[in-house]
């Protein structure tokens, strides 16, 4: 059955991997599933046809026959459950990989999103200089314990899993701030994720959208 995902017609980052369709593309590349992409404009995302797929009018969405999903956590989990390669066979290791997906999305991502918003959208506000150190500290308060737990491992819990895919995707958003430099083991972990051939294919496909727009 054909898998169709949605992505920005014009991503604000020019397709450099920061929009959340990257995670879905990466998961599909890891498990070797082909997919099609429907590009949506910012106005189309808020119109009825897209709202029927995503009540909050966002990307990405995932369609597979009768199944329609939104939320990257749910989509990556679905892909990982249906196809081998992203969740371990052992039941306990599988539960831990799922735990790490949740940790990435509900413990790490909120302060990181706050930081991105503060840097990119609120930098010109009168209170920005006062707020930024607070927001940065909240991110440090998450990176520190994660780095301590991670130690000199390659991945979070043995072999690469959907937990790593989600954690690396979330941590990638910290890179531009320089805060990852304080935790070299996590910086190396993110680089390890970025070096995966499946991640590269996902990024190339996303970048190609922007490239096509420039040509056309
Ligand atoms: N919790 C949802 C999920 O995980 O699926 C969040 C989905 C979400 O935030 N989608 C964003 C969106 O559709 C795109 S990824 N935003 C439009 C809207 O809400 O109207 C966020 C994003 C967008 C652009 C960049 N960028 O270019 O730098 C980075 C991240």
């Amino acid at each position: 059955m054909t898998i169709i995902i949605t992505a920005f017609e014009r991503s604000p980052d020019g397709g450099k991997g920061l929009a959340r369709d990257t995670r879905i593309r990466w998961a599909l590349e890891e498990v070797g599933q082909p997919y099609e992409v429907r590009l949506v404009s910012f106005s189309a995302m808020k119109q009825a046809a897209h709202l029927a797929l995503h009540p909050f009018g966002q990307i990405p969405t995932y369609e597979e026959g009768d199944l329609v999903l939104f939320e990257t956590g749910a989509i990556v989990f679905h892909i990982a459950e249906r196809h081998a390669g992203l969740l371990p066979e052992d039941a306990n290791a599988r539960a831990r990989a799922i735990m790490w997906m949740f940790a990435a999305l509900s413990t790490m991502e909120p302060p990181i999103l706050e930081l991105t918003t503060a840097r990119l959208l609120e930098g010109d506000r009168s209170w920005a200089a006062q707020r930024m150190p607070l927001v940065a500290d909240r991110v440090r308060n998450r990176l520190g314990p994660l780095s301590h737990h991670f130690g000199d491992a390659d991945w979070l819990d043995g072999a690469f899993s959907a937990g790593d895919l989600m954690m690396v995707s979330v941590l990638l958003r910290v890179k531009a701030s320089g805060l990852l430099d304080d935790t070299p083991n996590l910086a190396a972990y993110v680089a390890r994720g970025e070096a995966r051939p499946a991640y590269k294919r996902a990024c190339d496909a996303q970048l190609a959208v922007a490239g096509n727009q420039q040509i056309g």
Side-chain angles (χ1 to χ4, degrees), residues 8 10-21 23-24 42 45-46 50 54 56-61 70-75 105 109 113 116 120 166 173:
F8 283 135
R10 280 177 198 279
S11 185
D13 72 340
K16 294 202 185 88
L18 294 179
R20 283 187 180 77
D21 56 294
R23 304 170 183 186
I24 312 305
F42 278 93
M45 284 194 308
K46 308 300 176 197
H50 189 74
H54 196 313
F56 305 111
Q58 297 185 312
I59 60 99
T61 57
F70 62 94
E71 284 299 329
T72 52
I75 298 169
L105 292 172
E109 188 164 51
L113 273 184
T116 310
L120 300 181
M166 203 53 91
R173 290 255 183 107

Side-chain angles (χ1 to χ4, degrees), residues 34-182:
Y35 62 96
E36 291 177 7
V37 182
R38 192 168 56 247
L39 299 175
V40 284
S41 65
F42 278 93
S43 64
M45 284 194 308
K46 308 300 176 197
Q47 286 164 19
H50 189 74
L51 289 172
L53 306 177
H54 196 313
F56 305 111
Q58 297 185 312
I59 60 99
T61 57
Y62 176 99
E63 294 159 71
E64 187 181 9
D66 289 342
L67 177 67
V68 178
L69 293 174
F70 62 94
E71 284 299 329
T72 52
I75 298 169
V76 170
F77 184 45
H78 169 77
I79 295 167
E81 277 211 313
R82 292 287 168 97
H83 307 282
L86 283 173
L87 284 175
E89 288 292 317
D90 174 76
N92 285 355
R94 198 176 176 90
R96 288 194 300 272
I98 295 165
M99 169 187 76
W100 280 116
M101 286 183 66
F102 276 90
L105 292 172
S106 59
T107 300
M108 299 302 293
E109 188 164 51
I112 290 171
L113 273 184
E114 243 191 297
L115 179 73
T116 310
T117 307
R119 286 183 67 242
L120 300 181
L121 303 179
E122 297 170 354
D124 57 351
R125 302 296 174 92
S126 56
W127 35 261
Q130 268 182 303
R131 179 166 144 76
M132 187 54 91
L134 304 176
V135 175
D137 271 349
R138 285 187 203 121
V139 174
R140 285 194 192 94
N141 287 344
R142 292 295 183 228
L143 292 178
L146 182 67
S147 167
H148 180 74
H149 176 89
F150 195 84
D152 60 0
D154 279 348
W155 305 111
L156 285 164
D157 190 79
F160 177 84
S161 76
D164 294 297
L165 186 150
M166 203 53 91
M167 189 64 83
V168 169
S169 299
V170 166
L171 293 180
L172 270 164
R173 290 255 183 107
V174 188
K175 244 175 104 172
S177 71
L179 290 182
L180 259 191
D181 300 343
D182 300 339

